[in-house]
Amino acid sequence: MKLAEALINRADAEKRIAQLQQRLMRSGKVQEGDEPPENPQALLNETTNLISELQSLIQNINRTNAATAFDGNRTLTDALAERDMLMKERTILASVIDMAAVTQPRYGGSEIKFVSTVDIASLQTRVDDLSRRYRETDSAIQQLNWSIDLMES
């Protein structure tokens, strides 16, 4: 199985676990004399089995990421961390731009005037650069994911 397929399976398992949790919530308690819509013990067993499968899948993904060379200096794990931090910084800067760019109309001279304390244009240039670097890194990661076989324990 390719790493990309394992990532798809991980996402699917996480969604299925969330759905099982919702089904358990509906079946975990009923009014006396009523029957639950589904057998709670069967749902619990299915959830436990799926969590075990997910754990194994995540361990194999992590093992593969740590052992896979991304470029001459970094592993795939390093590239994933870099990509995530590019997005984190981009999100923070974009929120600063949104906050600083808001103008509030003043209806009289006695109202408080707000002014931007940051250079919005230079921040936007930085956001654009971070976005480009994120896209490039993510694209390279995705391409590698489809060429690497998943390491299994």
Side-chain angles (χ1 to χ4, degrees):
M1 168 186 325
K2 295 295 181 189
L3 178 56
E5 294 171 281
L7 294 168
I8 292 168
N9 290 344
R10 178 186 69 185
D12 183 54
E14 289 170 344
K15 288 176 191 169
R16 288 179 27 222
I17 289 169
Q19 291 168 348
L20 283 166
Q21 181 180 6
Q22 291 300 313
R23 291 166 57 193
L24 274 163
M25 301 305 281
R26 288 191 300 266
S27 299
K29 180 169 66 172
V30 295
Q31 187 173 353
E32 187 176 356
D34 287 350
E35 291 292 322
E38 296 182 76
N39 180 334
Q41 191 56 52
L43 292 172
L44 284 169
N45 292 342
E46 186 177 352
T47 301
T48 300
N49 291 336
L50 192 52
I51 287 172
S52 178
E53 290 174 25
L54 178 60
Q55 177 181 339
S56 177
L57 191 56
I58 289 171
Q59 288 170 331
N60 291 338
I61 290 168
N62 290 346
R63 188 177 296 111
T64 303
N65 287 344
T68 300
F70 182 73
D71 58 22
N73 301 319
R74 300 176 292 173
T75 64
L76 185 51
T77 299
D78 297 333
L80 290 165
E82 179 182 320
R83 181 197 63 185
D84 292 348
M85 293 309 102
L86 288 167
M87 181 52 72
K88 184 175 290 299
E89 184 177 359
R90 187 220 171 278
T91 300
I92 290 169
L93 293 179
S95 66
V96 170
I97 290 169
D98 290 344
M99 178 274 313
V102 172
T103 58
Q104 296 175 319
R106 290 182 8 174
Y107 299 105
S110 63
E111 292 185 48
I112 298 172
K113 180 179 181 180
F114 291 94
V115 294
S116 178
T117 60
V118 296
D119 181 353
I120 293 174
S122 68
L123 284 179
Q124 186 61 58
T125 299
R126 178 81 177 134
V127 165
D128 294 344
D129 180 59
L130 289 166
S131 296
R132 178 190 52 77
R133 290 174 47 206
Y134 176 90
R135 284 189 309 274
E136 290 170 353
T137 303
D138 188 58
S139 178
I141 289 169
Q142 297 305 321
Q143 183 176 3
L144 187 57
N145 285 346
W146 283 105
S147 65
I148 298 298
D149 289 323
L150 183 69
M151 295 177 155
E152 298 189 30
S153 53

